[in-house]
Amino acid sequence: MKYKKTQPVISYQDFYNLAESATSFKSLTGEFYDVISIDDSTMNFVRKSSGEQWKMDLKGVHQAYLELNDFQTANFNPYVPRTHSPALGLLLYLGLLTNVD
């Protein structure tokens, strides 16, 4: 799938404010996540299907959003290790990416 940025120059503070409003979201693969909390720049969430808790660096997600043009999950690796699919899912949930396929 190809995606287009809806706010290509969003500031970290504006991104953070959007992310802060998320209570749940789903990954590209359809996994559902519930947001537990956001501490500083770390989003803590739980995968509903397994109960496993995860942490994701919102600064890394924001940086990936600004720098990437190809939003394949593997391209998130330098920005957010181990949470590639949730990072993409969060960007889609927040409306920062739209599908252009």
Side-chain angles (χ1 to χ4, degrees):
M1 288 188 183
K2 291 193 175 205
Y3 301 99
K4 180 181 177 185
K5 297 177 189 180
T6 60
Q7 297 184 49
V9 292
I10 190 170
S11 70
Y12 176 71
Q13 189 59 55
D14 288 344
F15 170 78
Y16 181 88
N17 291 343
L18 282 174
E20 199 173 34
S21 69
T23 57
S24 64
F25 61 96
K26 72 177 185 174
S27 72
L28 192 61
T29 59
E31 292 287 347
F32 285 91
Y33 298 98
D34 284 329
V35 177
I36 300 168
S37 65
I38 297 178
D39 302 314
D40 294 322
S41 65
T42 302
M43 177 179 274
N44 301 291
F45 56 95
V46 63
R47 180 184 285 176
K48 287 179 113 174
S49 65
S50 67
E52 186 176 0
Q53 290 191 15
W54 294 79
K55 293 182 180 203
M56 183 165 60
D57 178 23
L58 293 176
K59 287 183 179 176
V61 178
H62 176 252
Q63 196 66 33
Y65 179 74
L66 294 178
E67 294 180 5
L68 292 175
N69 290 311
D70 180 5
F71 289 93
Q72 301 300 314
T73 53
N75 294 340
F76 282 82
N77 189 44
Y79 304 95
V80 285
R82 298 195 66 224
T83 55
H84 314 141
S85 186
L88 178 56
L90 180 63
L91 291 174
L92 290 165
Y93 172 80
L94 297 176
L96 293 172
L97 294 174
T98 56
N99 189 342
V100 293
D101 274 348

